[in-house]
């Protein structure tokens, strides 16, 4: 299910910047931002957990990898890449029912702004 906060078309209408930022469906239909630099660097950041799943410097091989065990579905963590582990790392210190590495990596994040920084 998509809404204005996760719909790639709606996000592109509000936040896309040609050659720099665009939004698209990623694995499992989860929305991701595709960030590009004019020199050719590319990164993918999922709104699911604000997870950086891909980074490839210009004229180089990708330097981040995501586990084949990743399920790419709401409530499940993306494994690999660069996760946001918050507010704890590893198992919860007091409650084994809490998600490993905190809740931030399994919740949807919203785009507030995108594009080049103002000088």
């Amino acid at each position: 299910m998509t809404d204005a906060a996760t719909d790639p078309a709606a996000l592109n209408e509000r936040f896309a910047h040609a050659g720099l930022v665009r939004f698209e469906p990623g694995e499992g239909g989860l929305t991701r931002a595709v960030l590009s630099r004019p020199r050719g660097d590319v990164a993918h950041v999922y709104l699911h957990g604000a997870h950086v799943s891909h980074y490839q410097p210009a004229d180089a091989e990708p330097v981040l990898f995501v586990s084949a065990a990743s399920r790419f579905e709401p409530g499940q963590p993306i494994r690999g890449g660069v996760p946001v582990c918050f507010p704890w790392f590893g198992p919860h210190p007091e409650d084994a029912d809490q998600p490993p590495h905190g809740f931030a990596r399994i919740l949807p994040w919203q785009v507030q702004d995108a594009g080049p920084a103002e000088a």
Side-chain angles (χ1 to χ4, degrees), residues 50-111:
H51 195 107
V52 181
S53 65
H54 173 83
Y55 175 67
Q56 184 169 0
D59 302 321
E61 296 295 317
V63 296
L64 296 178
F65 299 91
V66 173
S67 170
S70 291
R71 294 172 52 191
F72 291 96
E73 59 187 58
Q76 298 297 318
I78 298 172
R79 298 176 59 185
V82 182
V84 175
C85 297
F86 183 82
W88 60 85
F89 184 81
H92 189 278
E94 299 161 1
D95 185 352
D97 291 332
Q98 294 293 322
H101 308 304
F103 54 79
R105 72 186 195 136
I106 61 171
L107 293 176
W109 288 52
Q110 292 184 354
V111 178

Side-chain angles (χ1 to χ4, degrees), residues 5-74:
T6 60
D7 177 60
L11 290 166
N12 281 322
E13 188 173 313
R14 287 189 65 198
F15 300 111
H17 291 272
L20 297 174
V21 180
R22 66 182 167 83
F23 297 87
E24 67 182 21
E27 296 290 328
L30 297 174
T31 300
R32 68 183 177 201
V34 178
L35 312 175
S36 305
R37 292 187 52 194
R39 70 180 206 176
D41 303 33
V42 176
H44 297 166
V45 182
Y46 278 84
L47 299 188
H48 178 74
H51 195 107
V52 181
S53 65
H54 173 83
Y55 175 67
Q56 184 169 0
D59 302 321
E61 296 295 317
V63 296
L64 296 178
F65 299 91
V66 173
S67 170
S70 291
R71 294 172 52 191
F72 291 96
E73 59 187 58

